[in-house]
Amino acid sequence: MKPVLIAAAVLLALGPFALTSQSLVNIAMLTVVSAFLGQCWNIAGGFGGLTSFGHTIFFGTGAYAAAIMQTRWGLNPWLALPAALVLGAVVGAAIGAASFRAGLRGSYFALVTLAFAEVFRVLSNSLDFTRGGLGINIPLGMGAANFQFADRRATYAVALVLLVLATSAAAWLKRARFGAQLVALRENEDAAAALGIDLVRTKTAALALSGGLTALGGVLYAQTYLYVDPSISFGVERSVEMLLVAMIGGAGSVWGPILGAIVLHIIADVSRAWIATPGFAPMLYGVVLLVIIGVLPRGIIGVWERWRA
Amino acid sequence: MVEIYAAALINGLLIGGVYALVALGLTLIYGVLHIVNFAHGSLLMVGMFAAWLMAEKLGVHPYAALPVVALGMFALGWLLYRLVIGRVSRGEDRAILLATLGVAVVLDNLFLTLFGGDTRQIESDLTFAVIELGPLLLSVPKVIAFAVSLLLAGALWGFMALTDTGRAIRAVAKEPEGARLMGIRPERIFALAYGIGIGCLGAAACLLLPSFFVSPHVGSVFVLVAFTIVVLGGMGSFPGAVVGGLLIGVTESMGGLWLGESLGPIGISLVFIAVLLFRPTGLFGAAR
């Protein structure tokens, strides 16, 4: 990537700190969170070709971890970050090991993740431990020590750190042996296995990495809105949004999800000014997805890559 | 106590009949096109809205509207395959899955934009009508839905087994290249099979409406149920879809009885995961 582009990206990322309008910062924050979650999906779904329809499992695991650690055990919410990272990775490894050992791939893997997300939703909706359908309110206590920020710019800063973290992971995959193994098995499982790549272990590790990172986004959500419930945490909409961001920007590329998030949020904000009915913007996302699959299978970033080549 | 279980069992079987019809469409599409039609639930929602609109605006009872809605849904499915899914997917597994997901996202949100998120129901004399069978009370619309669903399933089986078109569809499902050499155009058959699969949803929608609510989100309620039935019965298997439909109907109503309202729905997801992990060929599927 050219230095000019890197400079532009840094400027774009730091720009919101100069904004005084909280609502504009909020838009920037939501865009960065979308980019982060899309990047997390991309690590498994883009690089590894593991088309997950249930990635919100990890998001919800992180969100509930933050809420439960504070309200039940009185722990500092910053501790939720490492806890969520570990929990998300464990859940990812468990689902991955079960699914990949059974040989599920492609559409079957997509469906089984959807079903796992539904199991998590139903469980969180009926167990006392998660306070069922009532959800969990996190008591207000503004302050950096308590991971609650009155200024959206601070939330934005945390989101940006997460995005840099996930994007570094994606950039690492692009160069590392592990990433090359993932791409190899995405392109041709049998050939990759013949080269001695352990399919189950590699795919499980990718899902664990992706799951651990995704769970961090759940913690940030819980600390921003101070409320979690079963459908926020485990509803299918968030899984689909993560997939859309990555697919539209360009799955399997380092910068694709960031581009995808920017495009989706521009669509959302422009269309909301035009027709404010709920459902209109997500409908356009679906149309964009169909166009991308039909015309630009490598996503928007594919245009740039083709032009450069 | 026995009556409660008997009632739950019979209720499960009755709803399972309609599930079977929904799943038949899905298993037909899988069996012929080898695609996982993620838009299945959303298209059922479209059919239910069509039936609801006919009842509400034109005063046509859903049962009377059934042929029209089924034909209309057949046409919609045929067009959808010709114009969107067949074109966009280029025959790649992942592209097809994402294309059907895209269609589901568009349809769900289109109806949310047009009709809002409220749930709607039709009022008819039949809605609360019951038949007394000893100590059991059977809901009349559910009995009718069950009977008509199984009748239609039988008719579809007959169509596939006995007509030339049915034979052509089965030929393409088994051996698309061989069928092409016999003068069958697989692309036409794909669109036809997709249309028939979606037409089943139109019929199921009309049968469900008198006893079920409709909202733009209703598709996601059915999509997992339909896939569970299809993998349980064996992807592509007709008898599997019928038996699977009945089993899942019973699982759902027994789950509700044993585990309660909020935990009950977990039964279907668990069955689904267990089948995929431990017996991916399902009950009636051939080994892959």
Side-chain angles (χ1 to χ4, degrees), chain A residues 229-290:
Chain A
D229 79 8
S231 55
I232 288 170
S233 303
F234 300 114
V236 70
E237 288 82 6
R238 195 174 313 274
S239 296
V240 171
E241 195 196 318
M242 293 166 78
L243 174 153
L244 284 173
V245 164
M247 287 306 304
I248 287 173
S253 74
V254 175
W255 298 97
I258 298 174
L259 204 58
I262 293 173
V263 169
L264 282 192
H265 278 270
I266 289 174
I267 292 175
D269 290 318
V270 171
S271 72
R272 202 168 296 131
W274 183 27
I275 296 178
T277 326
F280 188 66
M283 181 180 78
L284 294 181
Y285 299 172
V287 173
V288 174
L289 176 68
L290 288 172

Side-chain angles (χ1 to χ4, degrees), chain A residues 45 49 51 53 98 102 104 107-108 111 115-116 118-119 122-123 126 247 277-280 282-283 286-287 290 293-294, chain B residues 30 36 38 88 90 93-94 97-99 101 105-106 109-110 112-113 224 235 262-263 266 269 272-273 276-277 288:
Chain A
T51 318
F53 277 11
L104 299 183
S107 312
Y108 290 89
L111 290 173
F116 272 115
E118 184 62 11
V119 168
V122 173
L123 281 179
S126 40
M247 287 306 304
T277 326
F280 188 66
M283 181 180 78
V287 173
L290 288 172
I293 304 166
Chain B
Y30 180 83
V36 164
F38 200 73
V88 159
R90 300 176 310 277
D93 180 46
R94 172 157 151 146
L97 178 71
L98 292 174
L101 172 72
V105 170
V106 171
N109 289 296
L110 175 67
L112 185 61
T113 310
L224 202 59
M235 293 290 258
S262 68
L263 195 56
I266 206 170
S269 310
F272 184 70
I273 293 171
L276 275 183
L277 293 185
R288 275 189 301 173

Side-chain angles (χ1 to χ4, degrees), chain B residues 75-159:
Chain B
L76 176 68
W78 189 85
L79 279 175
L80 206 57
Y81 186 82
R82 279 264 131 145
L83 300 181
V84 184
I85 297 171
R87 277 196 191 185
V88 159
S89 56
R90 300 176 310 277
E92 290 168 27
D93 180 46
R94 172 157 151 146
I96 295 172
L97 178 71
L98 292 174
T100 59
L101 172 72
V103 169
V105 170
V106 171
L107 289 176
D108 286 359
N109 289 296
L110 175 67
F111 279 77
L112 185 61
T113 310
L114 293 177
F115 295 96
D118 305 339
T119 58
R120 296 152 199 276
Q121 246 178 333
I122 55 160
E123 291 288 324
S124 95
D125 305 337
L126 271 176
T127 308
F128 300 107
V130 288
I131 305 171
E132 278 184 54
L133 193 80
L136 301 174
L137 297 175
L138 305 183
S139 144
V140 171
K142 284 184 180 164
V143 173
I144 293 175
F146 176 81
V148 176
S149 291
L150 291 191
L151 215 65
L152 286 173
L156 187 62
W157 180 83
F159 169 79

Side-chain angles (χ1 to χ4, degrees), chain A:
Chain A
M1 197 150 174
K2 290 172 187 162
V4 185
L5 282 172
I6 293 181
V10 170
L11 221 63
L12 196 64
L14 297 181
F17 290 113
L19 296 171
T20 44
S21 153
Q22 287 286 309
S23 67
L24 284 181
V25 178
N26 198 44
I27 291 175
M29 188 270 288
L30 292 173
T31 309
V32 169
V33 169
S34 288
F36 164 70
L37 291 173
Q39 188 68 278
C40 294
W41 188 92
N42 187 37
I43 287 170
F47 288 92
L50 312 171
T51 318
S52 157
F53 277 11
H55 238 60
T56 195
I57 294 168
F58 311 118
F59 176 90
T61 301
Y64 269 104
I68 288 171
M69 282 171 71
Q70 285 170 82
T71 54
R72 286 202 183 267
W73 304 322
L75 294 169
N76 184 286
W78 287 104
L79 292 174
L81 285 173
L85 187 70
V86 172
L87 269 176
V90 168
V91 172
I95 291 176
S99 312
F100 302 133
R101 227 172 256 174
L104 299 183
R105 54 169 119 164
S107 312
Y108 290 89
F109 177 69
L111 290 173
V112 86
T113 53
L114 182 77
F116 272 115
E118 184 62 11
V119 168
F120 276 66
R121 193 189 65 77
V122 173
L123 281 179
S124 64
N125 198 33
S126 40
L127 296 182
D128 285 335
F129 184 61
T130 53
R131 290 182 39 84
L134 291 174
I136 303 176
N137 277 300
I138 296 169
L140 192 70
M142 288 290 169
N146 208 24
F147 201 165
Q148 290 185 22
F149 306 113
D151 190 338
R152 272 283 187 267
R153 282 177 293 187
T155 317
Y156 174 77
V158 178
L160 204 58
V161 170
L162 293 184
L163 176 60
V164 169
L165 184 70
T167 305
S168 310
W172 170 73
L173 283 180
K174 203 82 185 170
R175 283 178 287 106
R177 168 179 286 262
F178 175 64
Q181 290 176 334
L182 259 187
V183 172
L185 65 82
R186 175 190 75 194
E187 294 301 323
N188 189 335
E189 282 205 351
D190 297 330
L195 290 173
I197 297 172
D198 186 332
L199 295 184
V200 174
R201 253 176 77 181
T202 313
K203 290 203 261 189
T204 303
L207 197 62
L209 174 63
S210 171
L213 289 172
T214 309
L216 298 177
V219 176
L220 182 62
Y221 181 95
Q223 292 310 115
T224 307
Y225 298 101
L226 302 178
Y227 176 70
V228 300
D229 79 8
S231 55
I232 288 170
S233 303
F234 300 114
V236 70
E237 288 82 6
R238 195 174 313 274
S239 296
V240 171
E241 195 196 318
M242 293 166 78
L243 174 153
L244 284 173
V245 164
M247 287 306 304
I248 287 173
S253 74
V254 175
W255 298 97
I258 298 174
L259 204 58
I262 293 173
V263 169
L264 282 192
H265 278 270
I266 289 174
I267 292 175
D269 290 318
V270 171
S271 72
R272 202 168 296 131
W274 183 27
I275 296 178
T277 326
F280 188 66
M283 181 180 78
L284 294 181
Y285 299 172
V287 173
V288 174
L289 176 68
L290 288 172
V291 171
I292 291 282
I293 304 166
V295 186
L296 301 168
R298 302 184 66 90
I300 297 173
I301 201 110
V303 179
W304 154 259
E305 281 169 354
R306 203 182 304 165
W307 175 71
R308 206 176 47 164

